[in-house]
Amino acid sequence: MQVERKSESALSDVGAWGMNVISSVGIIMANKQLMSSGGYAFSFATTLTGFHFAVTAVVGMISNAAGLSAPKQVPFWELLWFSIVANMSITGMNFSLMLNSVGFYQISKLSMIPVVCVMEWILHSKRYTNEVKMSVVIVVIGVGVCTVTDVHVNAKGFMCACVAVLSTSLQQISIGSLQKKYSIGSFELLSKTAPIQAASLLVFGPIVDYYLSSKLIFRYDFTSGALIFILLSCSLAVFCNVSQYLCIGRFSAVSFQVLGHMKTVCVLILGWLLFDSALTAKNILGMIVAVVGMVVYSWAVEVEKNAITKPLAKTSMSEEEFRLMESMDSDP
């Protein structure tokens, strides 16, 4: 029975992670076609994210109305705080990409792994084994070799990158903390935060996008093709958001960041296959190193789990033996 439960749990973990990777890569491909100058030139990333959360909120309301999910109580101020942090993450990432070079933008994203580790150590007193630290370094090096090209830094871009990294790290840690604190499922938590994020992003998103692109969304020509890709992007965003909450609830923010770089590898490969992007020997070497790092990280986490469970199993067995001895002594 215990073996069956473990296999079912492992299968659920793989399913959640597979959903996240497939939906994340799919939404990147859809957004590339939607937002590129060679596609539909829809350059309103923040407002598009507002559309994503609006559709997610509608799906959550339908699920609650149909009884497919059970709504639970979470204080509004905590939901509001989380939504503010999440929106700061989205806006910070957009500004960081606009103000910084692609190389520095990638470095700032890589820095989320050590930042999440430090924040979990400060907030939750979490410690990591040497094996986990080593695997994180390998993943960072591999993804860095894959993605980092030119690196130019400026004061405004650096500040935006700092805001983006800190808010994204705090958001991912908060997802797991809220789920544990209020015993709430991933989809239930998402359905509570999505309406707040959607409302704020749809109000302030067009302003942010105008500052980023000097274009007004109200003057955009919504062709049938653009609408189809917007709907596709929103549909994939629902699966992406749900799977992100599922993964962080099941794993940890650090695991989500480390294994999440598998999406970077997939995007590079698909970009080469579908959009004729260059794939150099440097990219391939970086991808191999990154994948090795992810395998090492999975092994390190398993070693850490075994190190924790073995003393617990020994203690349990000693108590059982002690009780057995007591029962034998009490028998006539």
Side-chain angles (χ1 to χ4, degrees), residues 45-46 49 83-99 105 160-161 163-164 167-168 200-201 204-205 207-209 211-212:
T46 311
T49 308
S83 300
I84 291 171
V85 172
N87 288 349
M88 284 176 62
S89 166
I90 295 165
T91 308
M93 282 295 181
N94 288 340
F95 273 96
S96 177
L97 184 58
M98 180 191 76
L99 296 173
Y105 175 75
C160 289
V163 170
S167 56
T168 303
S200 54
L201 287 172
F204 297 106
I207 301 171
V208 174
D209 289 330
Y211 182 80
L212 290 172

Side-chain angles (χ1 to χ4, degrees), residues 7-318:
S7 61
E8 288 176 3
S9 177
L11 187 62
S12 300
D13 293 345
V14 171
W17 191 252
M19 184 196 300
N20 185 257
V21 171
I22 292 170
S23 59
S24 298
V25 174
I27 199 172
I28 289 172
M29 295 294 110
N31 288 351
K32 184 175 178 64
Q33 180 64 24
L34 176 64
M35 305 179 78
S36 65
S37 56
Y40 296 98
F42 186 85
S43 56
F44 309 100
T46 311
T47 307
L48 179 63
T49 308
F51 293 158
H52 291 169
F53 281 107
V55 173
T56 304
V58 170
V59 172
M61 291 175 186
I62 294 173
S63 177
N64 289 335
L68 299 176
S69 56
K72 292 187 178 181
Q73 292 298 320
V74 179
F76 177 76
W77 69 269
E78 290 212 47
L79 297 175
L80 182 62
W81 160 250
F82 175 83
S83 300
I84 291 171
V85 172
N87 288 349
M88 284 176 62
S89 166
I90 295 165
T91 308
M93 282 295 181
N94 288 340
F95 273 96
S96 177
L97 184 58
M98 180 191 76
L99 296 173
N100 296 311
S101 65
V102 175
F104 185 75
Y105 175 75
Q106 292 295 342
I107 287 177
S108 66
K109 288 182 68 177
L110 289 175
S111 68
M112 286 182 197
I113 297 178
V115 169
V116 168
C117 291
V118 171
M119 291 182 74
E120 286 198 324
W121 171 63
I122 294 172
L123 297 174
H124 303 299
S125 301
K126 189 169 183 179
R127 298 186 180 277
Y128 301 93
T129 62
N130 292 329
E131 292 84 1
V132 171
K133 294 174 185 176
M134 177 186 68
S135 63
V136 166
V137 171
I138 295 173
V139 172
V140 169
I141 292 173
V143 177
V145 171
C146 277
T147 58
V148 176
T149 53
D150 60 316
V151 179
H152 301 291
V153 186
N154 59 81
K156 286 184 179 179
F158 180 77
M159 290 300 297
C160 289
C162 289
V163 170
V165 170
L166 290 173
S167 56
T168 303
S169 303
L170 184 58
Q171 177 212 5
Q172 293 181 356
I173 293 172
S174 299
I175 290 174
S177 298
L178 287 173
Q179 286 184 241
K180 291 175 183 176
K181 184 176 180 179
Y182 296 103
S183 300
I184 186 172
S186 54
F187 186 74
E188 286 78 10
L189 178 60
L190 179 60
S191 64
K192 285 183 173 298
T193 58
I196 303 172
Q197 288 185 254
S200 54
L201 287 172
L202 290 176
V203 170
F204 297 106
I207 301 171
V208 174
D209 289 330
Y210 178 74
Y211 182 80
L212 290 172
S213 63
S214 301
K215 295 179 183 178
L216 287 171
I217 190 171
F218 309 106
R219 295 181 180 176
Y220 180 76
D221 182 20
F222 286 92
T223 62
S224 58
L227 288 172
I228 289 172
F229 270 91
I230 289 173
L231 289 174
L232 176 62
S233 179
C234 290
S235 301
L236 289 168
V238 174
F239 290 100
C240 187
N241 288 330
V242 171
S243 60
Q244 178 183 356
Y245 280 59
L246 275 172
C247 287
I248 296 178
R250 288 174 176 272
F251 308 114
S252 68
V254 176
S255 298
F256 184 75
Q257 279 293 329
V258 171
L259 299 178
H261 286 300
M262 178 60 74
K263 293 178 279 190
T264 304
V265 174
C266 293
V267 168
L268 286 172
I269 294 173
L270 287 176
W272 173 62
L273 292 173
L274 302 177
F275 297 102
D276 296 325
S277 299
L279 192 65
T280 64
K282 175 174 168 284
N283 297 136
I284 296 172
L285 175 63
M287 284 189 280
I288 293 172
V289 174
V291 171
V292 169
M294 292 170 201
V295 173
V296 173
Y297 179 82
S298 301
W299 165 79
V301 170
E302 193 64 29
V303 168
E304 189 176 24
K305 284 181 181 177
N306 291 336
I308 294 172
T309 54
K310 278 182 180 178
L312 293 177
K314 179 64 180 173
T315 303
S316 177
M317 182 61 69
S318 299

